Amino acid sequence: MKVYRLRIAVQAISFIILIYGGLFYIDMGNRMPTFSCAYVDDRGGGCFLIGFQHMLSRPFGEFLGDAGIRLLKAMGIFALWSIVLNKAWCGWICPFGFLQDMLSKIRSFFDVDLSRFGWITRTRYKSVKYIFLVLLILIPLGIANSFFGLEKIPRDWSVPFCQICPARVILPVFNGDFSQIHIDFSSNTTMVLTTIVMVLVALFFTTAFVKRRFFCSYCPMLALLSLFDKIGLLSLKKNGQRCTRCGNCSRACPMEIREIEEEKVLTNLVTQDCTLCLRCVEVCPEDKALETRFCGIPIFTASQQGFLKRQGLDEESHTNKNGA
Amino acid sequence: MDKQEKRKRLAKKIQLNLAMTVGEIFDPIDEDTTRPKKMAYFDRIFKTFTQGGEGAVNRKKTQKLIGTYCLFVPEEIIYAAGGQPVRLCAGAYESVEVGEEFLPDSACPMVKSEVGFTTLPVLSFYQQCDLVAIPASCDWKAKMAEIIHDYVPVVMLDMPKVKEGEASRAFWLSEVKRFTKEVEKVTGMRVTRSRLRGAIQMIQKAQVQFRRFHEIRKAEPPVIHGRDALEVLNAYFYDHVESWTAAMATLNDELEERVNNRESVAKPMATRLLITGSPMVFPNWKIPTVIEELGGVMVADEFCTSNRYLHDKVAVDEGLLSDMLHAIADRYLLPSCCPIFSTTIDRRDRLLQLIKDYRAEGVIYHILKGCHPYDVETRIIEKLLQDNGVPMLKIETDYSPQDVEQLRTRIEAFMETLKGQRHKEKS
Ligand code: SF4
Ligand code: SF4
Ligand code: SF4
Ligand code: SF4
């Protein structure tokens, strides 16, 4: 089976498990490094970010006791999940990533060109996800503590990222739950935040339609996951000498990562924004230039022959025994 | 005698000389019984040069002929627009003197030969082109359009020299798109999504055979000579890609059989050489012929007319027209290790990989007099090879047959040192 087909299949199955798994009593815990949103009633596992933000909104003193242990345990489980599959959570499992891929499919079906970032924009954009990450840590802390003698942040800022997370509005819809589509007028803060989320939802559909994985480029989960880039059991390796810098990989990369093409020296190519979708390995035409490994064992390696096959030439192998 | 008449006579004379050269090349080849039988298909293409190249180019009469130079002109686009590409890079000593009327002495023999063939009717397909696409690769090529535009319709493709930049890539993509429009105008056929997809696949199928051929060349003992490898890729210049692919498939089948039977074209322990530098085009086979006569084997080359010609591949991603054009533009620019670009990074790595894969014992660096880009890179490559312990022989020559004996002496001495080294390593 071709890798991109396998990936769609895995994504679809993951989508079903994560969105409807509850109906079959599946529960994979609430510490998953993926947007398996906690607002989805029948979910089969929950997004780490909501619990993380809750656990952070405590007075500093409490972190020395039970609350601290609970936080460490949660982070430990999160780390374990992340180390085993690395960024494949994003490329292969995340329901929100899957939705974006489907929107891209629809776009290409309608023959609409994709748009790309300029190189400078692309680099600048990388920092946006860290801004979200820092805010989703600091705001909860600021709710329970006062920084530098300033006033504490009001309660209605709790779980701030979830309040503006477009997944909260979109994913429950697949459960038949439309209740998140509204603007909350209970306070000025909630009104502003829920308005922001509605704007982000609208942006999500429009941007994901014209640009591959637009949301992922500023997703704070990706920022957290990339802490484990270099120690994940699943890895993406490059052999610079075999690479011709043909650019096929970076052109096909949904995250528009240029390092994958440019790098000639470093061997570990799980970069900050990589989602380990492995599209780059599929379109690399050089023997062993790129390789995916699990625990150091090669599981998917680029090759000339494999490349030509994946380009749709496998049916034409009559005259040659070991050619196509 | 009027000028017209004079030129006609000159053309006749050159045609005769060319025919003699072709004969001299193929007479011993035809007698060689160890040669793969399926080479006959490719031989035929070059043997038609004796009749003014009539029949060398494989096309239907109604098809427009698009001449190309270097390896930057996207053939996928020409095929998708219903045209037939023919690569016009030339290697004939006979037409050099004609080109000299238009060019300074310091120009390389290749560009002289090309201008000669374009301005004087010796090989018919040079005059039959409905459009000739010239990339502004080296300085000679950059000026060529102006020199020959009275003889054939020309389109120039401007080339960025620093291919790493974002703007260079965007610029090259726009050149490829402009070229597409120019070809469409000539052929009267639009490049559509499905036609382009088809053309890309056609060339990818050729690449399947190309790859297979180069895998076979890695075999020890070698089952085909380097000169014949140059020949099959040189034949691709003139052939229709589908006919070429079919012929390659049968040749590969034969070669695989030879690998199984361990049928070698050389003596056991023959010296394995890799050749790089300025391209060699038929009938400029003097160096490969000398190597072969001395009992060595050219196991690999790094020429844009041969090993590099079909190596790089277009990767269709989403399959939209714009996506495919982008992929084509990238394929012709980014992986190219042509010395006109600012860095040698890609060429260095490619060479080292080839030396490793084909277990080459030494490298011959070929420079055509006047070919500045390859000349400039000599030092860097020499140092690279030195650092990696690979001996290198630099040969600077042109198309004239006069220095063959001198070359033979030098190559022989080089092969001797390689043999000496082999003994040293053993003991
Ligand atoms: S709203 Fe977003 S961040 Fe919060 S639980 Fe749902 S997916 Fe996770
Ligand atoms: S980066 Fe994309 S795929 Fe990964 S968790 Fe965020 S939304 Fe999901
Ligand atoms: S596709 Fe492969 S050969 Fe091409 S630039 Fe990427 S890694 Fe290098
Ligand atoms: S670098 Fe490769 S695996 Fe990572 S996101 Fe890009 S295409 Fe996917």
Side-chain angles (χ1 to χ4, degrees), chain B residues 34-70:
Chain B
T34 65
R35 202 158 170 263
K37 302 279 166 298
K38 300 291 187 220
M39 285 301 295
Y41 174 88
F42 305 99
D43 294 348
R44 184 197 51 82
I45 291 174
F46 298 100
K47 287 178 177 169
T48 68
F49 276 25
T50 57
Q51 298 121 38
E54 217 38 78
V57 176
N58 182 1
R59 64 152 172 169
K60 292 190 204 85
K61 273 277 163 289
T62 51
Q63 239 174 348
K64 297 286 181 195
L65 194 59
I66 314 286
T68 71
Y69 282 105
C70 300

CSV table of all heavy atoms in Angstrom, one decimal, chain B residues 34-70:
chain,number,residue,atom,x,y,z
B,34,THR,N,32.0,-8.9,-29.0
B,34,THR,CA,31.7,-9.0,-27.6
B,34,THR,C,30.6,-7.9,-27.3
B,34,THR,O,30.1,-7.9,-26.2
B,34,THR,CB,32.9,-8.7,-26.7
B,34,THR,OG1,33.3,-7.4,-26.9
B,34,THR,CG2,34.0,-9.7,-27.0
B,35,ARG,N,30.3,-7.0,-28.2
B,35,ARG,CA,29.4,-5.9,-27.9
B,35,ARG,C,28.0,-6.4,-27.8
B,35,ARG,O,27.6,-7.3,-28.6
B,35,ARG,CB,29.6,-4.9,-29.1
B,35,ARG,CG,29.2,-3.5,-28.7
B,35,ARG,CD,29.8,-2.6,-29.7
B,35,ARG,NE,29.3,-1.3,-29.6
B,35,ARG,CZ,28.3,-0.8,-30.3
B,35,ARG,NH1,27.8,-1.5,-31.3
B,35,ARG,NH2,27.9,0.4,-30.1
B,36,PRO,N,27.2,-5.8,-26.9
B,36,PRO,CA,25.8,-6.2,-26.8
B,36,PRO,C,25.1,-6.0,-28.2
B,36,PRO,O,25.2,-5.0,-28.8
B,36,PRO,CB,25.2,-5.2,-25.8
B,36,PRO,CG,26.3,-4.8,-25.0
B,36,PRO,CD,27.5,-4.8,-25.9
B,37,LYS,N,24.3,-7.0,-28.6
B,37,LYS,CA,23.6,-7.0,-29.9
B,37,LYS,C,22.6,-5.9,-30.0
B,37,LYS,O,22.5,-5.3,-31.1
B,37,LYS,CB,22.9,-8.3,-30.1
B,37,LYS,CG,23.8,-9.6,-30.1
B,37,LYS,CD,24.5,-9.8,-31.4
B,37,LYS,CE,25.6,-10.8,-31.2
B,37,LYS,NZ,26.7,-10.4,-30.2
B,38,LYS,N,22.0,-5.6,-28.9
B,38,LYS,CA,20.9,-4.6,-29.0
B,38,LYS,C,21.4,-3.2,-29.1
B,38,LYS,O,20.6,-2.2,-29.2
B,38,LYS,CB,20.0,-4.7,-27.7
B,38,LYS,CG,19.4,-6.0,-27.5
B,38,LYS,CD,18.3,-6.3,-28.6
B,38,LYS,CE,17.6,-7.6,-28.3
B,38,LYS,NZ,17.3,-8.4,-29.5
B,39,MET,N,22.7,-3.0,-29.2
B,39,MET,CA,23.3,-1.6,-29.5
B,39,MET,C,22.9,-1.2,-30.9
B,39,MET,O,23.0,0.0,-31.2
B,39,MET,CB,24.8,-1.6,-29.2
B,39,MET,CG,25.2,-1.6,-27.8
B,39,MET,SD,24.6,-0.2,-26.8
B,39,MET,CE,25.4,1.2,-27.6
B,40,ALA,N,22.6,-2.2,-31.7
B,40,ALA,CA,22.4,-1.9,-33.2
B,40,ALA,C,21.3,-0.8,-33.3
B,40,ALA,O,21.5,0.1,-34.2
B,40,ALA,CB,21.9,-3.2,-33.9
B,41,TYR,N,20.3,-0.8,-32.5
B,41,TYR,CA,19.2,0.2,-32.6
B,41,TYR,C,19.8,1.6,-32.5
B,41,TYR,O,19.5,2.5,-33.2
B,41,TYR,CB,18.2,0.0,-31.5
B,41,TYR,CG,17.1,1.0,-31.4
B,41,TYR,CD1,16.0,1.0,-32.2
B,41,TYR,CD2,17.3,2.2,-30.6
B,41,TYR,CE1,15.0,2.0,-32.2
B,41,TYR,CE2,16.3,3.2,-30.6
B,41,TYR,CZ,15.2,3.1,-31.4
B,41,TYR,OH,14.3,4.1,-31.3
B,42,PHE,N,20.7,1.7,-31.5
B,42,PHE,CA,21.3,3.1,-31.3
B,42,PHE,C,22.3,3.5,-32.3
B,42,PHE,O,22.4,4.6,-32.7
B,42,PHE,CB,21.9,3.1,-29.8
B,42,PHE,CG,20.9,2.7,-28.8
B,42,PHE,CD1,20.9,1.5,-28.2
B,42,PHE,CD2,20.0,3.6,-28.4
B,42,PHE,CE1,20.0,1.1,-27.3
B,42,PHE,CE2,19.0,3.3,-27.4
B,42,PHE,CZ,19.0,2.0,-26.8
B,43,ASP,N,23.1,2.4,-32.8
B,43,ASP,CA,24.1,2.7,-33.9
B,43,ASP,C,23.4,3.3,-35.1
B,43,ASP,O,23.9,4.2,-35.7
B,43,ASP,CB,24.7,1.4,-34.3
B,43,ASP,CG,25.6,0.8,-33.2
B,43,ASP,OD1,25.8,1.5,-32.2
B,43,ASP,OD2,26.0,-0.4,-33.3
B,44,ARG,N,22.2,2.8,-35.4
B,44,ARG,CA,21.5,3.2,-36.6
B,44,ARG,C,21.3,4.7,-36.6
B,44,ARG,O,21.5,5.4,-37.6
B,44,ARG,CB,20.2,2.5,-36.7
B,44,ARG,CG,19.4,2.8,-38.0
B,44,ARG,CD,17.9,2.4,-37.8
B,44,ARG,NE,17.3,3.0,-36.6
B,44,ARG,CZ,16.9,4.2,-36.5
B,44,ARG,NH1,16.9,5.1,-37.5
B,44,ARG,NH2,16.3,4.7,-35.4
B,45,ILE,N,21.0,5.3,-35.5
B,45,ILE,CA,20.7,6.7,-35.4
B,45,ILE,C,22.0,7.5,-35.8
B,45,ILE,O,21.9,8.5,-36.6
B,45,ILE,CB,20.3,7.1,-33.9
B,45,ILE,CG1,18.9,6.5,-33.7
B,45,ILE,CG2,20.3,8.6,-33.8
B,45,ILE,CD1,18.4,6.7,-32.3
B,46,PHE,N,23.1,7.1,-35.4
B,46,PHE,CA,24.4,7.8,-35.7
B,46,PHE,C,24.9,7.6,-37.1
B,46,PHE,O,25.5,8.4,-37.7
B,46,PHE,CB,25.4,7.5,-34.6
B,46,PHE,CG,25.0,8.0,-33.2
B,46,PHE,CD1,24.5,7.0,-32.3
B,46,PHE,CD2,25.0,9.3,-32.9
B,46,PHE,CE1,24.0,7.4,-31.1
B,46,PHE,CE2,24.5,9.7,-31.7
B,46,PHE,CZ,24.0,8.8,-30.8
B,47,LYS,N,24.6,6.4,-37.5
B,47,LYS,CA,25.0,6.0,-38.9
B,47,LYS,C,24.3,6.9,-39.9
B,47,LYS,O,24.8,7.1,-41.0
B,47,LYS,CB,24.8,4.5,-39.2
B,47,LYS,CG,25.9,3.7,-38.4
B,47,LYS,CD,25.7,2.2,-38.7
B,47,LYS,CE,26.8,1.4,-38.0
B,47,LYS,NZ,26.4,0.0,-37.9
B,48,THR,N,23.1,7.4,-39.6
B,48,THR,CA,22.3,8.2,-40.5
B,48,THR,C,23.0,9.6,-40.7
B,48,THR,O,22.7,10.3,-41.6
B,48,THR,CB,20.9,8.5,-40.1
B,48,THR,OG1,20.9,9.3,-39.0
B,48,THR,CG2,20.1,7.2,-39.9
B,49,PHE,N,23.9,9.9,-39.9
B,49,PHE,CA,24.7,11.2,-40.0
B,49,PHE,C,25.3,11.2,-41.4
B,49,PHE,O,25.6,12.3,-41.9
B,49,PHE,CB,25.7,11.3,-38.9
B,49,PHE,CG,25.2,11.9,-37.6
B,49,PHE,CD1,23.9,11.8,-37.3
B,49,PHE,CD2,26.0,12.6,-36.8
B,49,PHE,CE1,23.4,12.3,-36.1
B,49,PHE,CE2,25.6,13.1,-35.6
B,49,PHE,CZ,24.2,13.0,-35.2
B,50,THR,N,25.7,10.1,-41.9
B,50,THR,CA,26.4,10.0,-43.2
B,50,THR,C,25.4,10.5,-44.3
B,50,THR,O,25.9,10.9,-45.4
B,50,THR,CB,26.9,8.6,-43.5
B,50,THR,OG1,25.8,7.8,-43.5
B,50,THR,CG2,27.9,8.2,-42.6
B,51,GLN,N,24.1,10.4,-44.1
B,51,GLN,CA,23.2,10.9,-45.1
B,51,GLN,C,22.6,12.3,-44.6
B,51,GLN,O,21.4,12.6,-44.8
B,51,GLN,CB,22.0,10.0,-45.3
B,51,GLN,CG,22.5,8.6,-45.8
B,51,GLN,CD,22.0,7.5,-44.9
B,51,GLN,OE1,20.9,7.6,-44.3
B,51,GLN,NE2,22.9,6.5,-44.7
B,52,GLY,N,23.4,13.1,-44.0
B,52,GLY,CA,23.0,14.4,-43.6
B,52,GLY,C,22.0,14.4,-42.5
B,52,GLY,O,21.2,15.3,-42.3
B,53,GLY,N,22.1,13.3,-41.7
B,53,GLY,CA,21.2,13.2,-40.5
B,53,GLY,C,19.8,13.0,-40.8
B,53,GLY,O,18.9,13.0,-39.9
B,54,GLU,N,19.5,12.8,-42.1
B,54,GLU,CA,18.1,12.5,-42.5
B,54,GLU,C,17.7,11.2,-41.9
B,54,GLU,O,18.4,10.2,-42.0
B,54,GLU,CB,18.1,12.4,-44.0
B,54,GLU,CG,16.9,13.0,-44.8
B,54,GLU,CD,16.3,14.2,-44.2
B,54,GLU,OE1,16.8,15.3,-44.5
B,54,GLU,OE2,15.2,14.1,-43.6
B,55,GLY,N,16.6,11.2,-41.1
B,55,GLY,CA,16.2,10.0,-40.4
B,55,GLY,C,16.8,9.8,-39.0
B,55,GLY,O,16.4,8.9,-38.3
B,56,ALA,N,17.7,10.7,-38.6
B,56,ALA,CA,18.2,10.5,-37.3
B,56,ALA,C,17.2,10.9,-36.2
B,56,ALA,O,17.0,10.2,-35.2
B,56,ALA,CB,19.4,11.4,-37.1
B,57,VAL,N,16.4,11.9,-36.6
B,57,VAL,CA,15.4,12.4,-35.6
B,57,VAL,C,14.1,11.6,-35.9
B,57,VAL,O,13.6,11.6,-37.0
B,57,VAL,CB,15.1,13.9,-35.7
B,57,VAL,CG1,14.0,14.3,-34.8
B,57,VAL,CG2,16.4,14.6,-35.4
B,58,ASN,N,13.6,11.0,-34.8
B,58,ASN,CA,12.4,10.1,-34.9
B,58,ASN,C,11.2,11.0,-34.7
B,58,ASN,O,10.8,11.2,-33.5
B,58,ASN,CB,12.6,9.0,-33.9
B,58,ASN,CG,11.4,8.0,-33.9
B,58,ASN,OD1,10.5,8.2,-34.7
B,58,ASN,ND2,11.5,7.1,-33.0
B,59,ARG,N,10.5,11.4,-35.7
B,59,ARG,CA,9.3,12.2,-35.5
B,59,ARG,C,8.3,12.0,-36.7
B,59,ARG,O,8.8,11.7,-37.8
B,59,ARG,CB,9.6,13.7,-35.3
B,59,ARG,CG,10.2,14.3,-36.6
B,59,ARG,CD,9.9,15.8,-36.7
B,59,ARG,NE,10.6,16.3,-37.8
B,59,ARG,CZ,10.4,17.5,-38.4
B,59,ARG,NH1,9.5,18.3,-37.9
B,59,ARG,NH2,11.1,17.9,-39.4
B,60,LYS,N,7.1,12.3,-36.4
B,60,LYS,CA,6.1,12.3,-37.5
B,60,LYS,C,6.3,13.6,-38.3
B,60,LYS,O,6.6,14.6,-37.7
B,60,LYS,CB,4.7,12.2,-36.9
B,60,LYS,CG,4.4,10.9,-36.3
B,60,LYS,CD,2.9,10.8,-36.0
B,60,LYS,CE,2.6,9.8,-34.8
B,60,LYS,NZ,2.8,10.4,-33.5
B,61,LYS,N,6.0,13.6,-39.6
B,61,LYS,CA,6.2,14.8,-40.4
B,61,LYS,C,5.4,16.0,-39.9
B,61,LYS,O,5.9,17.1,-40.0
B,61,LYS,CB,5.9,14.5,-41.9
B,61,LYS,CG,7.0,13.9,-42.6
B,61,LYS,CD,8.0,15.0,-43.2
B,61,LYS,CE,9.3,14.5,-43.6
B,61,LYS,NZ,10.2,14.1,-42.5
B,62,THR,N,4.2,15.7,-39.3
B,62,THR,CA,3.4,16.8,-38.9
B,62,THR,C,3.8,17.5,-37.6
B,62,THR,O,3.4,18.6,-37.3
B,62,THR,CB,1.9,16.3,-38.7
B,62,THR,OG1,2.0,15.2,-37.8
B,62,THR,CG2,1.3,15.9,-40.0
B,63,GLN,N,4.7,16.7,-36.9
B,63,GLN,CA,5.1,17.2,-35.6
B,63,GLN,C,6.1,18.3,-35.7
B,63,GLN,O,7.0,18.2,-36.5
B,63,GLN,CB,5.7,16.0,-34.8
B,63,GLN,CG,5.0,15.7,-33.6
B,63,GLN,CD,5.6,14.5,-32.9
B,63,GLN,OE1,6.4,13.7,-33.5
B,63,GLN,NE2,5.2,14.2,-31.7
B,64,LYS,N,5.9,19.3,-34.8
B,64,LYS,CA,6.9,20.4,-34.8
B,64,LYS,C,8.2,20.0,-34.1
B,64,LYS,O,8.1,19.2,-33.1
B,64,LYS,CB,6.3,21.6,-34.1
B,64,LYS,CG,5.1,22.2,-34.8
B,64,LYS,CD,5.4,23.0,-36.0
B,64,LYS,CE,4.2,23.6,-36.6
B,64,LYS,NZ,4.4,24.0,-38.0
B,65,LEU,N,9.3,20.5,-34.6
B,65,LEU,CA,10.6,20.1,-34.0
B,65,LEU,C,11.1,21.2,-33.2
B,65,LEU,O,11.2,22.4,-33.7
B,65,LEU,CB,11.5,19.7,-35.2
B,65,LEU,CG,12.8,19.0,-34.8
B,65,LEU,CD1,12.5,17.7,-34.2
B,65,LEU,CD2,13.6,18.8,-36.1
B,66,ILE,N,11.4,20.9,-31.9
B,66,ILE,CA,11.9,22.0,-31.1
B,66,ILE,C,13.3,21.7,-30.7
B,66,ILE,O,13.6,20.7,-30.0
B,66,ILE,CB,11.0,22.1,-29.8
B,66,ILE,CG1,9.5,22.1,-30.1
B,66,ILE,CG2,11.4,23.4,-29.0
B,66,ILE,CD1,9.0,23.4,-30.7
B,67,GLY,N,14.3,22.5,-31.1
B,67,GLY,CA,15.7,22.2,-30.8
B,67,GLY,C,15.9,22.7,-29.4
B,67,GLY,O,15.4,23.7,-28.9
B,68,THR,N,16.8,22.0,-28.7
B,68,THR,CA,17.2,22.4,-27.3
B,68,THR,C,18.7,22.4,-27.1
B,68,THR,O,19.4,21.6,-27.8
B,68,THR,CB,16.5,21.5,-26.2
B,68,THR,OG1,17.2,20.2,-26.3
B,68,THR,CG2,15.1,21.3,-26.4
B,69,TYR,N,19.1,23.1,-26.2
B,69,TYR,CA,20.6,23.1,-25.8
B,69,TYR,C,20.7,22.9,-24.3
B,69,TYR,O,19.8,23.2,-23.6
B,69,TYR,CB,21.3,24.4,-26.2
B,69,TYR,CG,21.6,24.4,-27.7
B,69,TYR,CD1,20.9,25.2,-28.5
B,69,TYR,CD2,22.6,23.7,-28.2
B,69,TYR,CE1,21.2,25.3,-29.9
B,69,TYR,CE2,22.9,23.7,-29.6
B,69,TYR,CZ,22.2,24.5,-30.4
B,69,TYR,OH,22.5,24.6,-31.7
B,70,CYS,N,21.8,22.3,-23.9
B,70,CYS,CA,22.1,22.1,-22.5
B,70,CYS,C,21.0,21.2,-21.9
B,70,CYS,O,20.2,20.6,-22.6
B,70,CYS,CB,22.1,23.4,-21.7
B,70,CYS,SG,23.5,24.4,-22.3
